[in-house]
Amino acid sequence: MADRADVVFVDGVRTPFGRAGEKGQYWNTRADDLVVKAMIELLERNPNVPKDRIDDVAIAATTQQGDQGLTLGRTAALLAGLPKSVPGFAIDRMCAGAMTSVTTLGSGIAFGAYDLAIAGGVEHMGRHPMGFGADPNPRFLSERLVGEDALNMGMTAERIHDRFPALTKERSDRFAMRSQQKTAAAYAAGKLQPDLVPVAIRSESGWGLATQDEGMRPETNMESLATLRTPFRPHGRVSAGNSSPLTDGATASLLASGDAVKEFGLQPKMRMVSFAFAGVEPEIMGIGPVPSTEKALRKAGLSIDDIGLFELNEAFAIQVLSLLDHFGIDDEDPRVNQWGGAIAVGHPLAASGVRLMIQLARQFEEHPEVRYGLTAMCVGLGQGGSVIWENPHYNKRARKA
């Protein structure tokens, strides 16, 4: 059997993320239109890519109904103007939907089945709350396959606090405050805007344009965080301030084989080294990235010390802290979430995996001294997902400025 082909992350874009619900900027915008907008921008940014050479399109959504249903990868491909010869499909792995879109199509590239592919995700949590319309099998509870709290993400976060007393509310609040501060600084420095695609929006006051993430709270401080109620448990430790907000948004990425990169003169932003998914107890789903990261590192023949940049999804601050503690990484380590994360910008479930990749790719450009980076996230029902990437700009003689 031939050696596997290189899997290259060529480019990625996303919509600004909006606050879910009637007051959010996307309340009158369809979910499929969000991901189509991202795909059109992705194609326009990469004019060297012949549309008829795209081998497949995978778009993820957690709640696959209404304007998030009907085999999103295929319908979005048609709406984005791809030829009818380009196939597509939908994926659901809850929060790791877009990540799974990337790893699934990346696997096809490595196998030699694909040369070019589009992977992404969308979630309109205002229209489609997580779990809405689902009918979980009663055996889950009657046979005690999962605890009653397994589908309540906030309760799973509280349970991590229970299990690891060193992970205090103060640490979660401080991490959340720093996420808001880092995101505000990244916006001020123009770090995030290059990969945001503006979206036309309609409200009672007329038409407008969504140009930035709606959930940012740069004024957040420890005093205000301490006063927030803990809705999942009286006197608990998980609040709206140290959790990601309910969010609408979409992401799209272009993947290619090494041969396709050469054929079409593309500029690779990252190379996929390894990936892994792992299962954990659903009641403490937030620790999922720990075993998935260990597995991905093992498959790559690397250690955690080889990772120079981390993009960890902030579904809850406690989820990130549990991974950092496991690997002996400081809460304030500058390698981690340099531009903040989901606590500030939002977490539109199935879209978030590609957001992590977009930010890591940009950071690779700024850090030629870093060879490997990690994107990782927890997943509902007790899973974790991790992808290790290599920096094409790596120069071992480079030094941090």
Side-chain angles (χ1 to χ4, degrees):
M1 184 176 176
D3 291 338
R4 73 179 193 182
D6 277 346
V7 180
V8 174
F9 184 96
V10 176
D11 199 8
V13 298
R14 68 177 179 92
T15 69
F17 290 168
R19 186 171 67 245
E22 294 185 27
K23 296 182 180 179
Q25 58 190 3
Y26 296 134
W27 180 245
N28 294 311
T29 304
R30 288 179 60 98
D32 48 11
D33 282 338
L34 286 174
V35 74
V36 166
K37 181 67 175 176
M39 288 173 60
I40 290 172
E41 175 72 10
L42 183 71
L43 292 165
E44 289 180 349
R45 281 171 44 139
N46 295 276
N48 289 356
V49 174
K51 293 181 180 180
D52 61 354
R53 288 290 302 275
I54 294 172
D55 292 302
D56 216 342
V57 177
I59 301 299
T62 300
T63 306
Q64 296 190 10
Q65 60 182 218
D67 54 346
Q68 288 186 180
L70 204 61
T71 314
L72 261 175
R74 175 61 170 170
T75 55
L78 294 172
L79 289 165
L82 290 173
K84 293 179 181 178
S85 59
V86 176
F89 62 105
I91 277 182
D92 172 20
R93 200 198 295 264
M94 288 195 170
C95 308
M99 176 177 282
T100 306
S101 296
V102 169
T103 57
T104 299
L105 293 182
S107 299
I109 291 171
F111 186 75
Y114 302 147
D115 289 312
L116 295 164
I118 292 176
V122 62
E123 209 74 56
H124 200 306
M125 298 182 76
R127 289 177 178 269
H128 308 290
M130 183 170 64
F132 181 76
D135 180 19
N137 194 302
R139 290 175 50 221
F140 277 122
L141 296 180
S142 65
E143 298 182 15
R144 299 185 179 180
L145 298 175
V146 300
E148 291 187 20
D149 297 335
L151 287 174
N152 184 322
M153 299 304 141
M155 281 303 302
T156 67
E158 288 282 8
R159 282 174 174 265
I160 298 178
H161 276 291
D162 293 342
R163 186 164 296 199
F164 303 103
L167 303 178
T168 62
K169 183 178 187 297
E170 181 181 0
R171 285 179 65 184
S172 284
D173 284 351
R174 190 171 301 281
F175 186 89
M177 178 185 70
R178 291 288 295 126
S179 180
Q180 296 282 2
Q181 293 170 345
K182 288 190 285 187
T183 296
Y187 260 100
K191 305 288 190 184
L192 301 176
Q193 293 91 327
D195 297 315
L196 293 181
V197 50
V199 178
I201 53 175
R202 180 170 55 86
S203 66
E204 292 180 0
S205 58
W207 286 92
L209 201 63
T211 59
Q212 70 176 29
D213 301 307
E214 197 175 16
M216 296 183 292
R217 299 290 183 268
E219 72 282 0
T220 298
N221 56 53
M222 292 295 287
E223 291 73 25
S224 63
L225 288 171
T227 64
L228 295 177
R229 69 186 188 93
T230 56
F232 305 107
R233 180 187 295 175
H235 310 293
R237 290 141 299 190
V238 179
S239 70
N242 57 35
S243 311
S244 58
L246 300 178
T247 315
D248 307 329
T251 58
S253 65
L254 176 64
L255 306 176
S257 66
D259 288 344
V261 165
K262 295 174 184 175
E263 180 179 355
F264 301 114
L266 306 176
Q267 296 297 316
K269 291 187 174 180
M270 303 191 293
R271 182 183 73 85
M272 188 186 296
V273 177
S274 72
F275 70 87
F277 295 94
V280 296
E281 296 172 60
E283 296 79 10
I284 51 167
M285 66 94 195
I287 66 168
V290 171
S292 64
T293 297
E294 290 179 328
K295 192 174 178 182
L297 288 168
R298 186 168 64 251
K299 288 179 176 294
L302 299 173
S303 76
I304 198 70
D305 295 332
D306 293 310
I307 305 300
L309 287 167
F310 295 79
E311 276 295 322
L312 308 175
N313 192 46
E314 299 170 0
F316 302 93
I318 185 65
Q319 173 257 309
V320 179
L321 293 176
S322 65
L323 184 143
L324 297 182
D325 264 23
H326 177 83
F327 287 108
I329 300 170
D330 189 80
D331 294 4
E332 298 278 348
D333 193 302
R335 298 172 297 168
V336 177
N337 293 11
Q338 292 195 338
W339 300 342
I343 288 172
V345 302
H347 173 29
L349 301 183
S352 287
V354 167
R355 179 192 69 80
L356 302 175
M357 297 168 193
I358 291 169
Q359 293 192 189
L360 179 63
R362 284 291 177 187
Q363 291 162 15
F364 271 165
E365 293 176 3
E366 297 185 1
H367 293 278
E369 80 283 359
V370 171
R371 184 170 183 180
Y372 298 109
L374 172 73
T375 53
M377 60 201 314
C378 62
V379 189
L381 288 178
Q383 300 180 82
S386 303
V387 188
I388 296 173
W389 302 90
E390 185 174 28
N391 185 0
H393 313 287
Y394 172 65
N395 179 349
K396 63 182 179 181
R397 292 194 178 100
R399 293 288 183 269
K400 282 189 178 182

